[in-house]
Amino acid sequence: MKKVTMKDIAKEAKVSVATVSYIINNVKNQTIPLETRNRVLEIAHRLNYAPNLAARSLVKQKTGLVGILLNRGPNETVWKELYHARFVSQLEKRLTEDGYHVLFSTIDEKAPNHHIITERKLDGVFLIDVKESNFYRISNQFTMVPIVLIDSYIEDELFFKVLPDFERAVQCAKQYITRDYVIIMEEFQNEQILQRVKAASGVLDEYIHIATSEEDLAYFLTKNKGKQVIVFNEFLATAVKNQHANEDIICVCTAGCEELVPRTVKKVTFKSSKDEIAFHIMKLLLDEEDCSDMIKYKMQEAE
């Protein structure tokens, strides 16, 4: 199949190739009627136009390559791996549709290796679930490159952070509580997440369980039989419901897969998707928009 070019789009839109280039590359200093802009973008989408990233990099001095970097612990559970799956997939889709190529890589918290990352010139970086103690060692690899932090509380006003509102989610879940309860969640590399959930829960540490295996999960549930359960992550909730009465479970849907939760399980969901918020912020940063007045912590609002 013949590759669609800007010339093809210009011919159908009845405009110059230069006009198409200005619109596709979002050049700021050109005044183009909105009707023309929308017509060109519609034709480009219909013809499945794929921008030439090499040419774009020469014009913009950018590579068109965005990194998604996921910090992993040494023994992650399957529900923690699945927790990230939809977010990464949807974020990659949004970036690709906007004309970017995506480099996905994992970082081992115990033995980090940055060579595959630093050898590539990235226009932007999404950094997922990073320990505060490791953050600057990693971020220093990307000087002058916009970084958006995901699932990471880092007290630095220079960087944007995107997280579910864990504290509000706990409060929403507690409206279903009628007796003693426990909290179950997966392990995060960013320790502040657990600390904030603990502070919001109002229960003793012994009633907050970090699930690291099916066996220790079963033991904890047996020990707390008869209590209600607030569980974070739909995939972890599936493991819980195999051993606990569904009507006693409240699932905080942090993985973006609320359709997996049985109807008999009460749910706390979020009004907007994490990938949508993260993409919007990165898009503004890549387009060099003024973001100085934007709030640096962007929370998914629980409901």
Side-chain angles (χ1 to χ4, degrees):
M1 184 180 292
K2 178 178 177 293
K3 181 178 175 65
V4 176
T5 66
M6 288 189 185
K7 186 175 181 180
D8 298 322
I9 299 171
K11 182 177 180 180
E12 183 164 340
K14 296 181 172 56
V15 296
S16 68
V17 174
T19 298
V20 173
S21 177
Y22 292 146
I23 295 170
I24 295 295
N25 289 302
N26 197 26
V27 176
K28 301 295 185 182
N29 61 355
Q30 296 294 320
T31 303
I32 299 172
L34 180 61
E35 186 277 331
T36 301
R37 185 178 296 274
N38 289 340
R39 185 170 76 254
V40 167
L41 292 175
E42 186 279 325
I43 293 170
H45 179 73
R46 176 161 46 82
L47 296 179
N48 293 317
Y49 171 73
N52 185 321
L53 293 180
R56 174 182 280 186
S57 67
L58 290 174
V59 174
K60 293 189 166 187
Q61 295 185 331
K62 294 183 178 181
T63 63
L65 186 63
V66 175
I68 301 176
L69 311 183
L70 172 62
N71 292 268
R72 287 193 189 280
N75 299 301
E76 284 203 342
T77 59
V78 65
W79 46 74
K80 183 56 188 291
E81 292 176 356
L82 292 171
Y83 167 79
H84 297 295
R86 176 165 286 188
F87 168 73
V88 171
S89 174
Q90 292 298 106
L91 183 59
E92 188 273 338
K93 180 181 177 183
R94 290 180 184 275
L95 289 164
T96 300
E97 289 176 347
D98 203 53
Y100 287 93
H101 284 177
V102 177
L103 169 67
F104 175 75
S105 182
T106 59
I107 298 176
D108 186 338
E109 284 286 353
K110 297 296 183 182
N113 185 339
H114 303 128
H115 291 312
I116 188 174
I117 305 164
T118 53
E119 288 172 0
R120 309 290 185 94
K121 180 173 173 52
L122 302 178
D123 289 344
V125 174
F126 294 95
L127 188 55
I128 306 174
D129 190 16
V130 62
K131 287 184 178 181
E132 189 162 10
S133 58
N134 289 342
F135 169 65
Y136 289 104
R137 177 169 50 81
I138 297 171
S139 63
N140 285 342
Q141 308 292 322
F142 306 105
T143 56
M144 305 305 292
V145 173
I147 297 175
V148 176
L149 292 160
I150 311 297
D151 291 344
S152 305
Y153 287 99
I154 302 292
E155 295 303 329
D156 191 318
E157 288 301 310
L158 182 62
F159 300 95
F160 284 95
K161 282 77 67 172
V162 181
L163 308 100
D165 189 340
F166 289 100
E167 292 145 309
R168 171 64 180 160
V170 171
Q171 298 307 316
C172 289
K174 285 166 73 172
Q175 68 181 318
Y176 300 113
I177 296 298
T178 58
R179 59 184 188 278
D180 289 345
Y181 68 97
V182 296
I183 289 179
I184 298 175
M185 58 191 298
E186 72 269 39
E187 184 178 19
F188 283 88
Q189 299 303 313
N190 187 260
E191 300 93 338
Q192 283 292 325
I193 290 177
L194 174 59
Q195 297 306 318
R196 288 174 182 250
V197 171
K198 282 183 176 181
S201 70
V203 300
L204 299 175
D205 286 0
E206 64 186 284
Y207 298 121
I208 300 179
H209 179 66
I210 306 302
T212 57
S213 71
E214 292 275 1
E215 292 74 20
D216 71 10
L217 178 62
Y219 176 76
F220 179 79
L221 288 169
T222 300
K223 188 170 67 171
N224 291 280
K225 189 174 181 179
K227 292 185 175 72
Q228 290 181 276
V229 176
I230 298 174
V231 55
F232 288 77
N233 182 339
E234 298 89 309
F235 298 100
L236 182 53
T238 300
V240 171
K241 78 179 183 62
N242 291 335
Q243 306 178 50
H244 206 75
N246 284 4
E247 61 271 16
D248 287 340
I249 301 172
I250 304 100
C251 177
V252 180
C253 299
T254 52
C257 299
E258 61 187 77
E259 66 274 12
L260 297 178
V261 181
R263 293 180 180 178
T264 51
V265 173
K266 297 177 179 64
K267 294 184 290 187
V268 174
T269 59
F270 296 88
K271 293 182 179 180
S272 55
S273 65
K274 192 162 54 178
D275 60 274
E276 179 183 5
I277 300 170
F279 172 78
H280 175 69
I281 293 172
M282 182 60 78
K283 179 68 174 168
L284 292 175
L285 294 171
L286 292 174
D287 289 346
E288 299 179 357
E289 301 285 351
D290 183 5
C291 302
S292 57
D293 293 332
M294 289 177 61
I295 298 172
K296 289 300 191 289
Y297 277 105
K298 293 291 186 178
M299 299 291 187
Q300 285 179 277
E301 187 178 353
E303 57 182 355

